[in-house]
Amino acid sequence: MYGGDSFFTLTSAEKIGLVLLSLGLSAVFLFVTWLASRRFSLPVRIGIALTLLAVFIWLSPQVYYQYYRMIIDGLPAQIVIKRPVGLLELARTLAFQRDASLAAHSQGILGWALIGVAALRRRRGA
């Protein structure tokens, strides 16, 4: 399923770096979801989680591209961020219906984790 994924072209050290970068970014987004969710009702908390997932999908390619620039000689400095994601793309991400890639499936897992954190977080004072 993931045979053509660029992850498998990396050395072991580069793979570890990429996994650590992904875990770090995920932790930041999970923490922000947890913080942002403490004052709101469940529907608003879910909206916050979905918004943060959309921001992650939209902006993280630039972070990953910078990592690839560090490990692959000759990659030009450029902006790789595309248009912001819409509701259909979010739904496809959460349903694991985008590309059959580690990146797309990892984004789906992160999305469900963000929703889980938002759903489990109780409103302050409730």
Side-chain angles (χ1 to χ4, degrees):
M1 174 185 282
Y2 302 122
D5 200 291
S6 64
F7 180 79
F8 298 108
T9 65
L10 303 176
T11 67
S12 294
E14 292 165 346
K15 288 176 185 175
I16 290 169
L18 187 59
V19 168
L20 291 174
L21 175 62
S22 297
L23 289 173
L25 283 172
S26 296
V28 167
F29 275 78
L30 288 164
F31 183 68
V32 170
T33 300
W34 183 76
L35 281 179
S37 296
R38 67 182 176 187
R39 298 177 191 252
F40 300 103
S41 65
L42 180 60
V44 174
R45 294 192 317 256
I46 300 299
I48 289 168
L50 293 174
T51 300
L52 287 170
L53 176 61
V55 168
F56 181 87
I57 294 169
W58 179 39
L59 298 178
S60 67
Q62 191 66 45
V63 175
Y64 287 109
Y65 185 75
Q66 291 307 114
Y67 176 74
Y68 276 92
R69 284 192 66 220
M70 290 183 349
I71 63 172
I72 299 172
D73 290 334
L75 284 181
Q78 63 183 2
I79 303 295
V80 296
I81 298 171
K82 306 275 191 252
R83 62 173 177 71
V85 298
L87 290 176
L88 180 59
E89 189 167 356
L90 274 181
R92 291 183 69 222
T93 298
L94 291 170
F96 301 98
Q97 296 298 312
R98 286 185 38 225
D99 332 339
S101 70
L102 286 171
H105 290 163
S106 297
Q107 289 171 353
I109 292 167
L110 175 62
W112 285 110
L114 293 172
I115 290 168
V117 165
L120 294 176
R121 177 80 165 154
R122 295 191 186 269
R123 194 171 9 165
R124 181 184 247 173

